[in-house]
Amino acid sequence: MDDRPPASDGTRNIDRLLAVMARLRDPEGGCPWDLAQDFSTIAPYTIEEAYEVADAIERGDLPGLQDELGDLLLQVVFHARMAEEARQFDFEAVAGAVADKMVRRHPHVFGAADLADAAAQTRDWEARKAAERVARGETGALAGVARGLPALLRAVKLQKRAARVGFDWPETAPVLAKVEEELEELRHEIAVGADRARLNPARLKDELGDLLFAVVNLARHLKIDPEAALRHTNAKFERRFGLVEQALEQEGKSPGDASLEEMETAWQRAKRGERPPPEEPAPPEPAPDPVRSEQKEPT
């Protein structure tokens, strides 16, 4: 057997990539690691690569984006190859199915439908997705929201689905009140545990989950992506803690050697040293883009 990878001889790169994956999964002379994988072991890498794509976009790193998109495509090819080996489907079927779906869901582009504006297009898009879910036997307003989604994203999607059928507050004030209510319930549970000299982990988990869900709902009403907001705060924390480490290093210390008071003093200096960016006028809110929505919605 020729052990060389397929050469780039004018063959389409997608065909070359499929051939590379087939070679890696070949029981005779393939890669032992690739051969040992299955859908469940590859799934975490698929999720990780999707986040790395998002990170490259957020950093405005287009060369990096090309690389990360390739890594994400590799995940699709890997899953499709394993499914082909199991005689279920192959990459061609995956590509064909999603192309058919896009044509079916865009009758105003590929058919004779006439939609007045983007809002009408979004309503038609959601109606078609709902009909497809019913055809798959998925009933209920919350059907089809994948359980494997990150918890923040899944909370947003569950709340949006419930809002479509009218289960939502019409304004922000009661949502904020709900956050305060859930925070008070968490405080109460902590106080009860302190009185008993033992916290109840199950109750704390329940109350903390309620608080997080309420905060996600507040973010949704404020039209803030909670995942993006938390990523922003993570980056801010990382940056400021780096400044704390630098300040301590100048004093010949590390965080492990410093007291909490010393680190807090350095932290406050780092905060004061960061001037907030000048406020810019908010851009006009874009019309809903059903294609972007679909990319996020479970199919």
Side-chain angles (χ1 to χ4, degrees):
M1 178 181 290
D2 187 351
D3 289 334
R4 293 173 300 173
S8 182
D9 55 2
T11 303
R12 291 190 317 156
N13 282 327
I14 186 61
D15 294 326
R16 183 170 176 241
L17 176 57
L18 293 170
V20 167
M21 179 51 65
R23 181 72 180 85
L24 291 172
R25 291 279 298 180
D26 189 337
E28 296 184 10
C31 172
W33 186 89
D34 290 275
L35 286 165
Q37 305 311 307
D38 58 27
F39 295 111
S40 61
T41 61
I42 290 299
Y45 296 103
T46 308
I47 295 169
E48 179 181 341
E49 296 299 350
Y51 276 108
E52 291 186 1
V53 166
D55 180 63
I57 292 171
E58 191 168 315
R59 290 184 288 105
D61 180 5
L62 290 183
L65 177 59
Q66 175 183 319
D67 190 56
E68 297 301 348
L69 285 172
D71 290 345
L72 184 57
L73 176 59
L74 177 64
Q75 301 302 307
V76 177
V77 168
F78 207 139
H79 285 288
R81 179 64 198 178
M82 291 187 290
E84 184 177 357
E85 292 166 2
R87 301 183 184 280
Q88 295 298 313
F89 57 83
D90 60 10
F91 182 84
E92 185 68 19
V94 172
V98 73
D100 289 345
K101 184 190 296 182
M102 291 300 98
V103 171
R104 186 171 63 248
R105 292 185 177 177
H106 291 82
H108 55 293
V109 176
F110 301 103
D114 183 18
L115 298 176
D117 52 27
Q121 182 183 351
T122 300
R123 289 193 296 271
D124 180 74
W125 178 275
E126 296 298 345
R128 289 177 182 277
K129 288 200 299 181
E132 289 172 7
R133 286 194 293 268
V134 170
R136 293 195 298 264
E138 299 173 358
T139 59
L142 305 183
V145 181
R147 294 182 180 275
L149 290 172
L152 281 178
L153 177 57
R154 189 161 194 265
V156 171
K157 288 184 176 293
L158 289 170
Q159 291 169 6
K160 284 183 176 179
R161 288 284 188 87
R164 287 179 198 163
V165 295
F167 192 71
D168 195 15
W169 279 294
E171 53 189 24
T172 303
V175 185
L176 189 57
K178 185 64 176 176
V179 171
E180 293 168 347
E181 175 190 327
E182 297 297 352
L183 179 58
E184 188 55 40
E185 290 182 7
L186 178 60
R187 283 197 183 103
H188 174 74
E189 187 58 42
I190 293 172
V192 168
D195 288 343
R196 295 175 179 168
R198 188 182 70 177
L199 297 173
N200 185 328
R203 289 291 305 153
L204 288 174
K205 178 182 177 181
D206 190 58
E207 297 297 352
L208 186 57
D210 289 348
L211 175 59
L212 289 172
F213 194 82
V215 169
V216 168
N217 201 17
L218 177 61
R220 184 176 63 86
H221 274 261
L222 294 174
K223 294 181 171 51
I224 298 294
D225 177 357
E227 182 71 25
L230 188 54
R231 282 202 307 270
H232 173 77
T233 297
N234 286 343
K236 181 169 62 177
F237 178 86
E238 188 175 23
R239 184 175 64 249
R240 288 178 178 174
F241 194 78
L243 293 174
V244 168
E245 289 178 312
Q246 290 176 21
L248 292 174
E249 186 178 2
Q250 291 172 359
E251 299 175 9
K253 295 182 179 180
S254 70
D257 302 324
S259 67
L260 177 59
E261 289 74 14
E262 288 173 313
M263 286 191 284
E264 177 63 22
T265 298
W267 177 268
Q268 293 302 327
R269 281 202 304 267
K271 282 181 64 176
R272 288 193 298 271
E274 288 190 337
R275 294 182 178 179
E279 216 173 285
E280 298 180 0
E285 188 173 331
D289 184 341
V291 174
R292 287 182 62 84
S293 173
E294 169 57 17
Q295 288 170 345
K296 295 181 180 178
E297 280 282 351
T299 56

